[in-house]
Amino acid sequence: MKRSTYQKMVDAALAMYERAHIVLSPEEKSRIEVVDFGLDIVEKMGLQLLTYVNTERVCAKEMVLLPYQTCAEHKHVPTNGKEGKEETFRCRYGKVYLYVSGEGDASSIQAKMPESEVSVFHEIVLNPGEQYTIMPETWHWFQGGPEGAVISEFSTRSTDETDQFTDKRLVREPKIEEDM
Amino acid sequence: MKRSTYQKMVDAALAMYERAHIVLSPEEKSRIEVVDFGLDIVEKMGLQLLTYVNTERVCAKEMVLLPYQTCAEHKHVPTNGKEGKEETFRCRYGKVYLYVSGEGDASSIQAKMPESEVSVFHEIVLNPGEQYTIMPETWHWFQGGPEGAVISEFSTRSTDETDQFTDKRLVREPKIEEDM
């Protein structure tokens, strides 16, 4: 994404943190991450986040989704001999639509799509003060509601570099290009 | 502590969460913990907290300290074959005075108190948006500032039952007595 797009998303995220009354230090404000999965349609498919802490054992982040912005389907796999990342999403502001794979009545979908590897997702709606824990190796994706969302994430060590995406073309590490 | 004292502290904690714009569900509001260490002077020595999640690997809590209320000196030791609890305190509202044991120039104190086991503490002041990570088996205690504090805690599994207190008379589990 272009430097100007990156800065626009950072500014939008900072406004959301403020609306959610989340206080950040100047240093933290200067290192907001913007993820566009290499697609360059970040307002549709992407997210913004700040990592508060990420040690060998514990990670905490504050994520921002703009209205209807979507984080792409992925899962957290074992890394460096440890179980995959376990994470709890807690909605602080706005609304989150969270989709988590699991057992369910997939028969009708599978009947229509016999050749696909169909994942069946449960929709979980999180309003402020509501949370959900996603265990390791569970496929999931999520989307902000009409006013977006601010989401606290409490987890084991974050190892974004080993995240697996359903769409193998996606990349986690953003590339920022200077504007011409 | 008496049921009426417990309820008074819960109400005070709920007011602090509201001031910090922390949204809690009705179920969460009904299970705020009040810790008085068995001393029954909870406004001086105690804390209030809500555990958002506590799995095998991850714990997150939202703690409240009233003005100048103090959480007693303790440390987190290995439990069930796992390293002791590691925790990051992030101040969300008010101010926290955190005291963490560590290397330091203890000579003057030790000279005066040759027979004591003197711990040397570093004072760390946390304002909103500031945080500090306390590694396992580190003695620590903390106190709210003039307006108290709301503190997010991000940690490994919480095992309060094995916490060690410097003052061995203290107990972590509160006892609530019905008012006469």
Side-chain angles (χ1 to χ4, degrees), chain A residues 20-25 28 31 50-53 55-60 62 82-88 90-92 128-131 133 135-136 152-157, chain B residues 20-25 28 31 50-53 55-60 62 82-88 90-92 128-131 133 135-136 152-157:
Chain A
H21 301 278
I22 304 279
V23 184
L24 306 180
S25 72
E28 289 171 337
R31 58 174 175 85
L50 172 66
T51 301
Y52 286 144
V53 60
T55 70
E56 272 305 307
R57 301 167 78 199
V58 181
C59 179
E62 207 81 75
K82 287 194 177 174
E83 276 181 272
K85 182 184 176 215
E86 172 199 314
E87 58 196 19
T88 295
R90 182 174 180 90
C91 181
R92 300 286 194 171
E130 296 176 342
Q131 63 183 40
T133 300
M135 296 310 267
S152 292
E153 184 190 72
F154 315 126
S155 75
T156 56
R157 180 174 174 74
Chain B
H21 301 279
I22 304 278
V23 184
L24 306 181
S25 73
E28 289 171 337
R31 58 175 175 86
L50 172 68
T51 301
Y52 287 144
V53 61
T55 70
E56 273 305 307
R57 301 168 78 198
V58 180
C59 180
E62 207 82 74
K82 286 192 179 177
E83 274 182 274
K85 183 185 177 214
E86 172 199 315
E87 58 196 20
T88 296
R90 183 176 179 88
C91 181
R92 299 288 195 170
E130 296 176 341
Q131 64 182 39
T133 300
M135 295 313 265
S152 293
E153 185 191 72
F154 315 126
S155 75
T156 56
R157 178 172 176 76

Side-chain angles (χ1 to χ4, degrees), chain B residues 54-114:
Chain B
N54 191 23
T55 70
E56 273 305 307
R57 301 168 78 198
V58 180
C59 180
K61 297 179 180 177
E62 207 82 74
M63 303 190 289
V64 170
L65 288 171
L66 299 183
Y68 300 113
Q69 194 184 24
T70 298
C71 176
E73 188 184 345
H74 66 284
K75 67 175 180 179
H76 306 289
V77 297
T79 301
N80 294 330
K82 286 192 179 177
E83 274 182 274
K85 183 185 177 214
E86 172 199 315
E87 58 196 20
T88 296
F89 287 178
R90 183 176 179 88
C91 181
R92 299 288 195 170
Y93 174 87
K95 193 187 280 286
V96 192
Y97 303 109
L98 171 62
Y99 299 88
V100 177
S101 74
E103 306 304 309
D105 180 13
S107 54
S108 57
I109 303 170
Q110 282 171 335
K112 286 178 206 160
M113 303 170 69

Side-chain angles (χ1 to χ4, degrees), chain B residues 140-151:
Chain B
H140 58 286
W141 58 281
F142 48 102
Q143 185 179 50
E147 297 174 62
V150 177
I151 309 156

Side-chain angles (χ1 to χ4, degrees), chain A residues 103-173:
Chain A
E103 305 305 309
D105 179 14
S107 54
S108 59
I109 302 171
Q110 283 172 334
K112 287 179 202 157
M113 304 170 68
E115 285 160 44
S116 306
E117 272 191 42
V118 179
S119 296
V120 180
F121 285 90
H122 295 285
E123 186 190 67
I124 297 139
V125 181
L126 298 178
N127 292 295
E130 296 176 342
Q131 63 183 40
Y132 188 85
T133 300
I134 303 162
M135 296 310 267
E137 298 189 69
T138 306
W139 288 107
H140 58 285
W141 58 281
F142 47 103
Q143 186 180 50
E147 297 173 63
V150 177
I151 309 156
S152 292
E153 184 190 72
F154 315 126
S155 75
T156 56
R157 180 174 174 74
S158 180
T159 51
D160 296 331
E161 64 283 5
T162 67
D163 285 357
Q164 286 191 8
F165 290 95
T166 304
D167 185 334
K168 304 294 178 206
R169 296 166 297 184
L170 303 193
V171 289
R172 173 62 178 74
E173 203 60 40

